[in-house]
Amino acid sequence: MSSFDVLIMNKKHTTLAIIAITAVIMAGCGGSATRVVMVTGYREHFAIDAKLAVAILDSAPQAIYYGDLKKSLGHPSNDTTVSAEALAWRYFRERLVKHLLNEIDVKEAFVAEAGRDYLVTKEAVSTVDENITVEIPDLGTKIKFEEGKEASLVLFLDKIRIGTETDPYYQERAKQGIYTGIPRKLVFLAAFVLWDNRELKPVCYGRVKTITPIFREEATSENWDEVTRDFVRTAFERTGFRKRNDMGKM
């Protein structure tokens, strides 16, 4: 082998190494504020004839929005009969159920109050932004609902925040009424546990943060749809429960 051939081979190896390193770096950059843990031994499968219940455990969810939240939600700003936060949570639940039905292969999705008479195992979840604890029902737990409804899958949500990014840069601009230049970001952040209520064990759990830029004066209905849809897709990505088109693609 000539010295020229050796040089070419070394260049190829160097190029491949750079590509590999770049791929690792890029994989680590995207979704660094999100971590989804698939439970050991879980095998991806379809959700057959399944009903999905959303159980919101957070007793004090946060709705932080820099701007006119009522206007963003399509409600008159001067209506004092309802608070912006109450509107936001009503809107949040409606959008969440809508996208669960659109994105996940279940025959029904609903929000319900789950009984809390079960033991839990606490699992630590770390992201680039924070360290949190997720409470997972103990194996063999049957989740029951106060309304007497039955569900094959249960999506527990906790430590919820919706609204706009709380970076100081955006806070200062919001105080000044400035929304031009770099767009604000709409945020959906929550800890979750996806529970199989047939097999009585967890499917996955973690912390998901989805964001979408706001290019208009206020977040639009499309922005709220996008950030909620992306949350659903991210949480269910590796479960096998995502809907597929005629070509078998999600």
Side-chain angles (χ1 to χ4, degrees), residues 52-77:
L52 188 152
V54 179
I56 298 176
L57 304 181
D58 196 339
S59 59
Q62 294 181 302
I64 304 173
Y65 184 90
Y66 295 132
D68 190 334
L69 180 54
K70 289 185 177 180
K71 182 178 179 180
S72 171
L73 299 174
H75 199 80
S77 301

Side-chain angles (χ1 to χ4, degrees), residues 18-91:
I18 292 172
I19 291 172
I21 292 170
T22 303
V24 171
I25 293 172
M26 288 178 68
C29 289
S32 56
T34 289
R35 186 179 179 213
V36 177
V37 180
M38 300 303 299
V39 173
T40 301
Y42 175 78
R43 293 186 178 183
E44 185 176 309
H45 62 280
F46 296 109
I48 300 173
D49 195 31
K51 294 182 181 180
L52 188 152
V54 179
I56 298 176
L57 304 181
D58 196 339
S59 59
Q62 294 181 302
I64 304 173
Y65 184 90
Y66 295 132
D68 190 334
L69 180 54
K70 289 185 177 180
K71 182 178 179 180
S72 171
L73 299 174
H75 199 80
S77 301
N78 58 357
D79 182 358
T80 58
T81 62
V82 62
S83 69
E85 289 74 17
L87 282 172
W89 288 116
R90 184 191 308 164
Y91 198 80

Side-chain angles (χ1 to χ4, degrees), residues 185-229:
K185 298 174 183 177
L186 194 63
V187 176
F188 184 166
L189 177 66
F192 82 97
V193 175
L194 180 59
W195 182 260
D196 189 321
N197 214 26
R198 290 169 170 168
E199 299 189 12
L200 309 183
K201 60 184 181 181
V203 175
C204 57
Y205 62 92
R207 183 69 155 164
V208 174
K209 180 179 183 180
T210 53
I211 59 175
T212 188
I214 303 170
F215 292 106
R216 296 187 180 180
E217 182 181 9
E218 303 298 347
T220 64
S221 175
E222 290 76 14
N223 294 147
W224 288 99
D225 269 331
E226 181 178 354
V227 78
T228 311
R229 181 200 65 213

